[in-house]
Amino acid sequence: MSRVVVIGGGAAGMMAAVAAAELGHDTTLLEKNEKLGKKVYITGKGRCNVTNACDTEQYFNHVFGNSKFLYSAVYQYDARAVMEFIENQGCPLKVERGQRVFPVSDHSSDIIKAFQRALQDNYVKVKLYSEVKKILMQDGHVTGVELKKGGKIEADAVIVATGGLSYATTGSTGDGYLFAKAAGHEVTPTYPALVPLTIKEVDCKELQGLSLRNVKASLSYKGKNLYEDFGEMLFTHFGVSGPLMLSASSIYSAKCYGEEAALSIDLKPALTKEQLDKRILREIEENGAKNMRNILPSLFPHKLIPVMCKRCGIEETMRGFDLTKEKRQKLVEETKNFCFTVTGTRDFIEAIITHGGVSLKEINPSTMESKLVKGLYFAGEVLDLDAVTGGFNLQIAWSTGHLAGSSIEWV
């Protein structure tokens, strides 16, 4: 039996502690907050998008870079394994659109309760209000941890599962990066990810509160296409948000953070330009005596019409019959290529996850153990791993946490 200390009572930490304890290790879980799973509690707007039930082979397509690093972790403990574990702990799950998995109750607290039961059943010692000051090492091997409030806990293995920098109020304040650096590890630059984007154009503010569904978004930088997908988005007073934009933001943070990038929105992706032109012509033939303000609601939400007309040089009071071919074609172009300039992202306070973290070059992907310090493991968001929305990031936490906990040897 080894003495194991897990730092961080979030998704990765709770899973790591359970996995280590199931092997019979003497396991202690340290959490600096007053309760476990504070970030888990707010994920999925309080519903907790536990994982994604897509085929395991397809899972890696949703990870931003470094996906090969996850092969061992995910294949050893995939979405099916996570779902089975949680349901066995008395929390039934359901699969919704996009293969997103949620508790049937729609309460994230039920996921946390499931883990609390597992921790208790496996005799994990959970210590709240226990912030770690530093990890103790000697001769290239972990020997324990020192607590900020005083005192030391001896350990044969330490798992760092402290999260990143997103949602600092939940305890993710970058502690793990400091622990990693103190152990000689490289930490790659960190940026907010799965975060709203800020937009340059002033007419974006006029669209504040407008939600669009089934649109196609493309993000490009210096003429190179970085991201393209379909989904939902929301205009805000500073820019754009919603699932589609949050996923785009992670690519932006990884490829061109702080630089201007081009965002193009296809408002009618199901129609070609020719089909859209014919539809506009048909609307004019049938309602041409009306002004454009009263014709366009068949194509666009009301809030979008003034902005669209302004961009196309169309007067809202103009009769449909008076719309020139040139302006009609401009309307088609703007509908298929509604362009904005991305100037940056909102801060970590609004980010769901962190891009960057402990460099994977110095972590063994088969065990999550440090290649530099024996007995030191890393799991979850503290690592340089992130994915799109839809439960994929929590799966990173479950898989890496489980692999770290189950890889600890007996001493």
Side-chain angles (χ1 to χ4, degrees):
M1 173 170 56
S2 294
R3 295 164 299 177
V4 180
V5 168
V6 181
I7 309 174
M14 290 190 293
M15 180 61 85
V18 170
E22 282 181 336
L23 291 180
H25 296 305
D26 179 6
T27 306
T28 301
L29 176 58
L30 303 178
E31 169 54 53
K32 66 181 181 181
N33 287 312
E34 76 285 359
K35 60 184 177 182
L36 298 175
K38 284 192 79 170
K39 189 173 178 184
V40 174
Y41 184 77
I42 62 174
T43 59
K45 296 179 180 176
R47 297 174 62 216
C48 190
N49 185 182
V50 178
T51 185
N52 192 285
C54 69
D55 291 336
T56 303
E57 292 76 13
Q58 296 297 316
Y59 172 82
F60 304 100
N61 296 333
H62 302 278
V63 178
F64 296 123
N66 300 327
S67 60
K68 289 183 179 178
F69 178 87
L70 280 169
Y71 283 1
S72 292
V74 172
Y75 277 114
Q76 186 216 63
Y77 206 75
D78 61 9
R80 299 295 184 281
V82 173
M83 293 169 69
E84 183 179 351
F85 169 81
I86 292 172
E87 291 197 314
N88 285 344
Q89 293 299 325
C91 178
L93 302 172
K94 59 183 176 180
V95 180
E96 296 187 356
R97 183 172 53 86
Q99 297 293 294
R100 289 169 165 83
V101 180
F102 293 91
V104 170
S105 66
D106 284 330
H107 294 307
S108 56
S109 56
D110 289 335
I111 300 298
I112 299 167
K113 287 173 186 173
F115 273 91
Q116 287 173 326
R117 282 192 288 272
L119 291 165
Q120 187 174 3
D121 291 347
N122 286 284
Y123 306 104
V124 174
K125 295 185 283 291
V126 176
K127 296 183 180 295
L128 303 176
Y129 299 105
S130 299
E131 187 169 0
V132 174
K133 181 179 180 180
K134 65 179 179 179
I135 296 172
L136 303 175
M137 294 166 279
Q138 186 176 342
D139 300 326
H141 198 297
V142 159
T143 59
V145 298
E146 182 179 335
L147 301 177
K148 277 197 174 179
K149 64 183 181 182
K152 298 176 182 178
I153 301 176
E154 293 183 350
D156 304 298
V158 172
I159 302 173
V160 178
T162 51
L165 289 166
S166 57
Y167 292 127
T169 53
T170 66
S172 298
T173 52
D175 300 356
Y177 304 140
L178 300 178
F179 299 149
K181 288 177 180 177
H185 279 270
E186 176 192 350
V187 175
T188 63
T190 53
Y191 305 110
L194 295 186
V195 62
L197 294 166
T198 54
I199 296 294
K200 186 179 193 176
E201 285 73 15
V202 293
D203 59 5
C204 181
K205 291 183 180 179
E206 298 175 40
L207 300 172
Q208 180 181 348
L210 174 64
S211 179
L212 298 176
R213 305 181 74 178
N214 303 317
V215 296
K216 177 183 175 184
S218 303
L219 183 72
S220 60
Y221 176 64
K222 293 184 177 179
K224 182 180 179 181
N225 191 51
L226 301 179
Y227 171 82
E228 192 172 280
D229 205 355
F230 298 84
E232 301 175 23
M233 64 170 292
L234 171 72
F235 287 95
T236 69
H237 66 285
F238 55 78
V240 289
S241 187
L244 190 58
M245 296 298 108
L246 294 182
S247 290
S249 76
S250 287
I251 293 291
Y252 172 81
S253 290
K255 302 292 185 181
C256 52
Y257 187 82
E259 302 285 331
E260 288 192 352
L263 174 65
S264 172
I265 302 164
D266 184 346
L267 298 168
K268 299 291 180 184
L271 301 176
T272 64
K273 288 183 180 180
E274 292 75 18
Q275 290 171 328
L276 179 58
D277 190 40
K278 286 180 181 177
R279 180 171 168 181
I280 294 171
L281 275 171
R282 187 170 68 248
E283 289 291 338
I284 290 172
E285 286 171 4
E286 295 174 0
N287 303 289
K290 297 179 181 178
N291 60 37
M292 291 301 295
R293 184 190 297 143
N294 294 323
I295 293 174
L296 290 177
S298 63
L299 286 168
F300 309 115
H302 282 279
K303 205 161 195 173
L304 187 57
I305 293 170
V307 172
M308 192 62 71
C309 285
K310 206 179 299 180
R311 286 198 176 195
C312 297
I314 297 171
E315 296 211 6
E316 293 180 56
T317 54
M318 174 194 295
R319 291 194 319 156
F321 288 137
D322 296 329
L323 185 69
T324 64
K325 181 181 179 181
E326 181 185 24
K327 289 189 175 180
R328 191 182 78 240
Q329 289 178 337
K330 176 66 175 167
L331 185 60
V332 170
E333 287 295 326
E334 198 67 36
T335 303
K336 297 293 289 181
N337 190 21
F338 195 37
C339 290
F340 294 93
T341 306
V342 176
T343 56
T345 71
R346 300 292 274 183
D347 207 350
F348 278 110
I349 193 79
E350 295 179 48
I352 295 175
I353 59 166
T354 304
H355 174 76
V358 177
S359 174
L360 304 181
K361 294 182 294 184
E362 298 158 352
I363 305 296
N364 184 340
S366 299
T367 61
M368 296 295 132
E369 187 176 18
S370 164
K371 294 178 181 179
L372 308 180
V373 180
K374 183 71 176 170
L376 178 61
Y377 297 76
F378 293 89
E381 194 181 338
V382 72
L383 292 164
D384 184 11
L385 290 166
D386 57 298
V388 298
T389 57
F392 301 103
N393 286 288
L394 265 180
Q395 185 61 48
I396 290 175
W398 307 134
S399 293
T400 57
H402 189 274
L403 182 56
S406 59
S407 296
I408 294 168
E409 300 174 357
W410 277 55
V411 294

